[in-house]
Amino acid sequence: MQYRSLQLLSLFFLISLCALRAQPTATPAAERLQGMAQRKSLAQQSVAASVDAQSIGPSVFSCRVTDVDADPADPTRFYVAYASAGLWFTESNGASFAPVFDQEASMTIGDIAVDWKRQIIWVGTGEANSSRSSYAGTGVYRSADGGKSWEWRGLPESHHIARIVLHPTDSNTLWVAVLGHLYSPNPERGVYKSSDGGKTWTRTLFIHENTGAIDLCLDPQNPNTLYAAGWERERRAWNFKGAGAGSGIWKSTDGGATWRLLSGNGFPSGENTGRIGLCTGLKNGKTILYASLDNQNLKPKKQEPPKEGLSKEALRTISKADFLQLNDEKIEGYLRDNGFPEKYTAKKIRDLIEKNKITPQALVEYLEDANALLVETDYIGAEVYRSEDGGATWTRTHLEPLDGIHFTYGYYFSTIYCNPKDADQVYLLGFLIIRSQDGGKTWKSINGDNVHVDHHALWINPNQPKHLINGNDGGVNISWDNGASWILANSPPVGQFYAIAVDNADPYQVYGGAQDNGVWVGPSNYTASTEWHQSGKYPYESLLGGDGMQVAVDTRDNQTVYTGFQFGNYFRIDRRSGRRKPISPKHELGERPYRFNWQTPIWLSKHNQDILYLGAQKLFRSFDQGDNWEAISGDLTGGGAKGNVPFGTLSTVHESPLRFGLLYTGSDDGLVHVSRDGGENWQNITAGLPEKLWVSSLRASAHEKGRVYLALNGYRWDDFNTYIYRSDDFGQSWTRLGANLPAEPVNALREDPVNPDLLYVGTDHGVYFSLNQGQSFQRLSDSLPAAPVHDLVVHPAAADLIVGSHGRSMFKISVKQLQQLSQTILEKPLHVFEPGKLKHNRNWGRKSNWSEPREPSTSIHFFTQTPGKISWILKTADGLTMNAGERDCAAGLNSFNFVPDFQEKQLKSYLKILNEGQKDPKKMIDLSKAENGKYYLYKGSYLIELAKDGQKIEQKLLIE
């Protein structure tokens, strides 16, 4: 059952030696594709392939859509591509969807193109939005049967594909805009063309190794004329450069064979030229070309009358002497308007500046945290340009600025669409979706009710132009009146969770922080349905907005919740009252704001749940539920880096469940520390580990005091190798685990709370488990899609593994039998686990109008070393056979739903057993046939016997 080979071991140790380099390097595509083969092998050989993964939602808020494509002849049929949730198809106008791209090498999608006449689907993997979780793809895929099967069609080093354009009449000709690697330079960027249906490719446009193709479109009157947008961008963990001189518009008039740059013609160029979107349409028989631009040049300064009160701009340059001349009313107004703590008064500020403890500029620096800088910008931002002469000249369409469309993250959208038959109808997608009906001169927001923000895709019905299908960070919206009103089509469970948690309620609740959709809580026994449309009460409840982050629940009341949104903005929430109190540690005036990770780590002590830990660059501890904080460390990172993204931050913190004050921290720049005395002293325990990798998971063991598990993640270097470790001496030395795991970055490494030999790993492509403390791994559950998994939690009482995926919401997997899989059981040809109890109910088998009869069942779990057929017999305690059957089974863990009915021919003998010794006729048991025609067992103790290959095993079945 364990997958191992000399070749893999040699490769593993070679990678181990290479891992000790100063800077990680990008993983070659060949290794990533080999990882797909390993993933399949680990699934085929897994003892838990048949274990069921149950989706527990939610679906109400959906996740980031990257493309939509509908059938012009029947627009109730359309495909939706998600950033990290695969491809889904509906033929009911969005009432229901089915996934069609779940088991390929990557589920992240940048663009799709559908040849509806020939029923051919093209998928370009790798989201083109350069976000923190924009996963790299593995090239281009093609399906000729509606997504039932797929063929890989090359471009493995593309990583992020922005656009696929099909020739309108030649089904073998297509063009692909390849953006390229996100976190490393690569030469495989640019525009590619295939003339044989993707069997071979020619790169026809290359700009340079940091500039890829971000958009591509055809002239609707001449498919030999194409326009391509180049985008220069460099992303690192500490910095994002979203503009450059390599950004520009290119034109081909020979079917994409050669290209020329359109420059010096009214369209901006230079170092601050950001992401560009393109589209074409017709107006009065003429081709109109539009380009949207993320213009990162500074806005021209306006001559405005000075505002009342004190401004940040004035404080940036004011001298000490001039500040001390200000009256208290102005200073107080500034403090209160900007939310300074009440302890800072005008008198206090004046005193600090007079004594040279702070400068006036500290009043500005105090406010400049990462979240504020994300939206406070002086960039020009979104612009729209129009050309009526094939790009020879360009005119900006609007006089007024398009504020509030990009902020500082135009890299995240900047796409434009126009009606193909009336090019004056233009749609610009950004933070909002806006529409122009006069060729871009004036604009109106159509971001109406039911419509999320952050827009990425739009389909315009060519035959009914008021019919729109929009894709955004909140899923799919449909409009039939040109955006005046919208329908929400969010039935797929496709949330992008960063972190999850559980409580101890009955049934227990599941909590999760989701990308751009806040923090939610719902019941663990959730089953998807549309009943809530009528009741108005969705089973999941929203706790907080923003980008939802980590969650901790005080299990003493299951009502006190600690959670937050990006960059360290955390709250204590009382679910009973709905009261929400901000609790984030605050820096002092004169200090720079703390460096908080995008996903700031928190940990609630298992020893005293009034004690909360939170990590910035230091570790903070609160003894009073976050009301007051104390820094219990110095800087536990490498000290930060120059850039526009907070870096040198703690990415994970943990306290040993076995000893109070045994603390571990890990940082985004690869440092690991331990304190054995509650933070009084800290030791760097990074020695022997690969350098500069993100510490994605760090957990002290619940079984051995000195044991700790560690996962490192190279995603932000385009390093896709697997790095997981165990230490048995508090991190003084490390042992690398998982020699047979595929090349997939690890996001979560968890130890089972019951079985110390059982480990779970969540990677960018699913979940793996080990039964031997990480020496070897197997893939968990064939029913779990290969979506990124960001978090894992084992509920200790229910023995459920909750999987928090970044794309397919959450799953629940029972691991009760997996926890019992000792080596002794694994060596048996057959083992049957104790079945669950049943509660007798006189309504078993009762019919109701137009619905299926109510049937009881319990799960019978067993392990077998070989596949084949297994037979079962149901008997009374004294051996009367009541029923029997046979089932197929796979090697490993199996289960089937067992219904406690019996054969009618046994009724007389069974009643005799039930009434044996009973002399009172009034107390005699009589059994009637249920309305569905079956007889069901009476309460009592029974035996179920399983037999396979000459082995027979009995287990008791109790009906209470």
Side-chain angles (χ1 to χ4, degrees):
M1 293 295 175
Q2 297 173 359
Y3 180 73
R4 190 182 294 269
S5 72
L6 289 174
Q7 183 181 9
L8 267 179
L9 282 173
S10 299
L11 177 62
F12 173 70
F13 288 115
L14 177 62
I15 291 171
S16 297
L17 291 173
C18 294
L20 298 175
R21 57 190 181 271
Q23 179 170 307
T25 56
T27 304
E31 287 183 27
R32 297 182 64 214
L33 291 171
Q34 172 61 29
M36 172 62 174
Q38 285 178 250
R39 187 197 314 166
K40 288 183 176 180
S41 177
L42 295 178
Q44 290 167 357
Q45 301 182 43
S46 174
V47 299
S50 299
V51 172
D52 184 51
Q54 177 189 349
S55 174
I56 56 169
S59 62
V60 65
F61 56 79
S62 192
C63 75
R64 187 161 66 251
V65 172
T66 54
D67 199 13
V68 292
D69 201 324
D71 183 352
D74 180 5
T76 63
R77 305 171 67 241
F78 60 87
Y79 291 94
V80 180
Y82 293 92
S84 56
L87 182 66
W88 294 67
F89 177 63
T90 179
E91 48 189 348
S92 59
N93 198 39
S96 63
F97 290 83
V100 295
F101 196 74
D102 273 12
Q103 300 299 333
E104 303 312 309
S106 51
M107 286 181 63
T108 172
I109 300 179
D111 193 48
I112 61 172
V114 184
D115 182 340
W116 289 98
K117 292 180 180 177
R118 300 172 182 85
Q119 294 298 302
I120 296 173
I121 313 166
W122 291 90
V123 169
T125 58
E127 179 191 6
N129 300 314
S130 299
S131 178
R132 290 167 177 82
S133 55
S134 293
Y135 292 97
T138 48
V140 176
Y141 293 79
R142 178 183 183 272
S143 175
D145 55 12
K148 296 182 179 67
S149 63
W150 293 89
E151 293 178 283
W152 181 68
R153 287 296 172 98
L155 302 183
E157 288 288 4
S158 56
H159 278 211
H160 299 273
I161 289 176
R163 192 72 69 207
I164 299 176
V165 174
L166 306 182
H167 193 284
T169 58
D170 179 1
S171 60
N172 285 319
T173 297
L174 66 158
W175 300 266
V176 175
V178 171
L179 185 55
H181 294 191
L182 178 55
Y183 284 98
S184 59
N186 74 301
E188 295 86 358
R189 306 176 192 266
V191 176
Y192 286 79
K193 180 179 181 180
S194 175
S195 300
D196 55 9
K199 294 175 183 176
T200 60
W201 295 91
T202 301
R203 189 184 64 187
T204 63
L205 173 62
F206 173 69
I207 304 168
H208 62 69
E209 62 180 10
N210 286 313
T211 300
I214 187 60
D215 212 344
L216 188 64
C217 64
L218 289 175
D219 185 325
Q221 299 188 100
N222 182 1
N224 283 321
T225 299
L226 294 92
Y227 301 92
W231 180 27
E232 181 175 345
R233 58 100 164 92
E234 294 179 41
R235 181 149 209 157
R236 299 293 182 266
W238 57 90
N239 190 56
F240 183 70
K241 177 178 177 285
S247 301
I249 301 173
W250 298 71
K251 181 176 182 178
S252 172
T253 55
D254 54 10
T258 61
W259 297 85
R260 63 182 178 88
L261 178 65
L262 301 176
S263 61
N265 50 14
F267 190 82
S269 61
E271 290 294 331
N272 295 317
T273 306
R275 179 170 171 170
I276 299 168
L278 298 172
C279 71
T280 54
L282 295 175
K283 185 67 178 180
N284 299 324
K286 180 189 290 187
T287 295
I288 307 297
L289 173 63
Y290 286 100
S292 60
L293 172 66
D294 177 33
N295 189 332
Q296 294 192 13
N297 285 289
L298 295 176
K299 292 178 181 176
K301 292 288 184 181
K302 288 184 178 180
Q303 294 298 322
E304 295 181 346
K307 296 180 181 178
E308 290 187 14
L310 198 55
S311 68
K312 292 181 185 177
E313 288 69 26
L315 284 171
R316 290 184 197 278
T317 56
I318 197 170
S319 68
K320 172 184 174 181
D322 287 342
F323 183 90
L324 293 175
Q325 295 298 313
L326 297 173
N327 61 51
D328 285 356
E329 185 179 352
K330 269 196 172 184
I331 299 172
E332 283 288 348
Y334 177 84
L335 296 174
R336 304 292 79 84
D337 288 347
N338 288 282
F340 278 72
E342 292 182 4
K343 67 179 181 179
Y344 293 119
T345 62
K347 183 177 182 302
K348 175 74 171 176
I349 299 299
R350 193 183 293 279
D351 184 59
L352 289 171
I353 290 177
E354 199 163 23
K355 293 177 179 177
N356 292 321
K357 292 187 176 179
I358 64 169
T359 66
Q361 287 68 47
L363 294 172
V364 180
E365 293 170 354
Y366 183 85
L367 302 172
E368 290 184 333
D369 62 22
N371 221 36
L373 294 174
L374 194 65
V375 293
E376 293 181 8
T377 173
D378 289 323
Y379 292 166
I380 292 173
E383 291 186 312
V384 174
Y385 290 82
R386 173 172 168 143
S387 176
E388 298 186 11
D389 54 13
T393 59
W394 294 87
T395 304
R396 196 175 85 157
T397 65
H398 48 98
L399 296 175
E400 296 299 318
L402 301 176
D403 290 335
I405 302 300
H406 282 182
F407 300 105
T408 57
Y409 43 103
Y411 65 85
Y412 193 49
F413 11 68
S414 193
T415 50
I416 190 166
Y417 297 83
C418 67
N419 187 316
K421 297 177 180 177
D422 179 6
D424 281 348
Q425 292 276 342
V426 196
Y427 305 83
L428 181 64
L429 277 59
F431 178 73
L432 304 174
I433 178 172
I434 59 176
R435 183 190 74 208
S436 173
Q437 295 179 281
D438 54 13
K441 295 174 185 174
T442 60
W443 295 88
K444 173 186 178 182
S445 171
I446 54 173
N447 217 103
D449 293 342
N450 287 328
V451 182
H452 198 79
V453 294
D454 295 349
H455 298 267
H456 309 285
L458 186 70
W459 181 81
I460 305 166
N461 191 330
N463 303 314
Q464 191 175 349
K466 290 187 176 182
H467 177 204
L468 310 174
I469 305 177
N470 169 232
N472 52 61
D473 271 19
V476 177
N477 290 98
I478 303 171
S479 176
W480 294 91
D481 51 17
N482 208 12
S485 60
W486 296 90
I487 300 165
L488 189 61
N490 275 359
S491 61
V494 289
Q496 291 179 305
F497 281 93
Y498 287 113
I500 57 173
V502 295
D503 63 18
N504 285 344
D506 186 18
Y508 67 90
Q509 303 284 295
V510 181
Y511 302 75
Q515 191 276 331
D516 210 36
N517 283 282
V519 181
W520 292 74
V521 56
S524 57
N525 59 359
Y526 166 93
T527 301
S529 77
T530 56
E531 290 180 2
W532 68 276
H533 291 179
Q534 187 171 7
S535 69
K537 178 66 176 175
Y538 189 71
Y540 277 82
E541 169 194 349
S542 174
L543 295 179
L544 197 68
D547 284 271
M549 294 298 161
Q550 296 191 6
V551 186
V553 186
D554 190 330
T555 55
R556 296 173 298 186
D557 61 13
N558 297 314
Q559 298 293 329
T560 303
V561 180
Y562 302 88
T563 191
F565 59 86
Q566 64 267 34
F567 296 129
N569 291 279
Y570 273 82
F571 301 82
R572 184 178 69 240
I573 300 173
D574 185 337
R575 292 188 61 201
R576 290 160 294 205
S577 65
R579 186 168 178 263
R580 181 189 302 164
K581 180 180 180 181
I583 60 167
S584 302
K586 296 295 183 184
H587 57 292
E588 295 295 329
L589 191 58
E591 293 182 313
R592 295 293 302 182
Y594 296 133
R595 297 193 303 270
F596 290 112
N597 195 281
W598 172 261
Q599 186 185 154
T600 297
I602 60 172
W603 186 257
L604 191 62
S605 176
K606 302 297 183 186
H607 306 281
N608 179 345
Q609 292 186 81
D610 287 337
I611 300 175
L612 182 66
Y613 299 95
L614 185 148
Q617 72 268 36
K618 308 173 182 180
L619 183 63
F620 290 88
R621 180 178 61 203
S622 172
F623 284 113
D624 54 10
Q625 299 183 307
D627 286 340
N628 296 283
W629 293 94
E630 172 193 11
I632 60 171
S633 78
D635 192 335
L636 296 174
T637 76
K642 186 177 181 180
N644 53 21
V645 179
F647 188 70
T649 67
L650 294 183
S651 51
T652 181
V653 301
H654 195 244
E655 181 185 52
S656 167
L658 298 179
R659 192 168 96 186
F660 174 72
L662 175 54
L663 302 168
Y664 293 91
T665 68
S667 69
D668 56 11
D669 54 6
L671 298 186
V672 187
H673 287 83
V674 62
S675 173
R676 303 194 207 183
D677 54 11
E680 289 293 323
N681 298 282
W682 290 89
Q683 180 189 8
N684 186 324
I685 53 174
T686 316
L689 296 170
E691 296 179 7
K692 299 185 179 181
L693 298 176
W694 193 287
V695 181
S696 58
S697 185
L698 182 62
R699 290 295 174 96
S701 171
H703 300 287
E704 296 289 340
K705 194 175 293 185
R707 184 173 295 165
V708 58
Y709 290 96
L710 167 72
L712 303 174
N713 188 306
Y715 161 76
R716 292 161 187 85
W717 297 97
D718 288 327
D719 178 351
F720 299 97
N721 289 297
T722 300
Y723 302 98
I724 59 174
Y725 301 84
R726 184 188 72 239
S727 173
D728 291 313
D729 54 12
F730 302 96
Q732 304 308 300
S733 62
W734 296 96
T735 300
R736 191 164 181 189
L737 309 176
N740 68 326
L741 281 170
E744 298 174 5
V746 174
N747 305 305
L749 172 60
R750 301 288 181 263
E751 177 191 61
D752 187 83
V754 174
N755 184 344
D757 294 332
L758 178 56
L759 303 180
Y760 309 95
V761 166
T763 77
D764 281 356
H765 298 291
V767 180
Y768 301 85
F769 69 96
S770 171
L771 295 169
N772 52 19
Q773 290 191 18
Q775 294 177 48
S776 61
F777 281 84
Q778 304 171 51
R779 188 162 174 83
L780 182 61
S781 183
D782 282 346
S783 56
L784 193 66
V789 171
H790 271 221
D791 205 359
L792 298 167
V793 176
V794 181
H795 194 281
D800 288 335
L801 174 68
I802 304 300
V803 178
S805 82
H806 197 79
R808 295 295 281 272
S809 287
M810 292 185 282
F811 291 84
K812 180 174 70 176
I813 303 174
S814 175
V815 293
K816 185 176 182 180
Q817 287 71 40
L818 202 57
Q819 290 173 337
Q820 301 173 55
L821 270 187
S822 64
Q823 191 60 36
T824 302
I825 292 176
L826 289 169
E827 291 173 357
K828 292 181 179 180
L830 180 64
H831 178 82
V832 182
F833 298 92
E834 183 179 344
K837 296 176 182 178
L838 278 165
K839 286 197 173 183
H840 188 268
N841 191 308
R842 66 182 64 188
N843 292 320
W844 284 353
R846 175 175 290 182
K847 289 184 177 181
S848 57
N849 291 336
W850 310 108
S851 63
E852 294 296 318
R854 178 180 179 181
E855 277 223 307
S857 70
T858 188
S859 293
I860 304 298
H861 297 268
F862 62 95
F863 168 83
T864 177
Q865 288 193 4
T866 57
K869 290 190 178 293
I870 190 164
S871 60
W872 58 267
I873 298 173
L874 174 66
K875 298 184 287 189
T876 61
D878 55 2
L880 177 65
T881 297
M882 303 298 294
N883 213 339
E886 190 177 65
R887 304 189 68 90
D888 292 325
C889 64
L893 289 172
N894 292 263
S895 67
F896 62 91
N897 283 334
F898 176 76
V899 178
D901 62 337
F902 63 89
Q903 297 173 8
E904 186 173 357
K905 65 182 181 181
Q906 301 295 76
L907 178 61
K908 186 175 180 180
S909 301
Y910 181 44
L911 289 174
K912 184 178 179 181
I913 293 172
L914 291 176
N915 292 303
E916 187 174 0
Q918 181 60 257
K919 296 181 180 179
D920 185 350
K922 294 181 180 180
K923 294 183 179 180
M924 298 287 279
I925 297 170
D926 190 20
L927 297 177
S928 301
K929 186 180 289 187
E931 291 178 3
N932 64 352
K934 290 185 178 182
Y935 284 93
Y936 292 99
L937 296 177
Y938 194 64
K939 57 188 177 183
S941 183
Y942 300 87
L943 294 173
I944 182 163
E945 177 187 278
L946 271 67
K948 184 176 183 293
D949 300 332
Q951 299 287 321
K952 294 182 180 181
I953 298 179
E954 286 185 343
Q955 278 284 7
K956 284 186 178 180
L957 176 67
L958 185 63
I959 301 178
E960 296 178 330

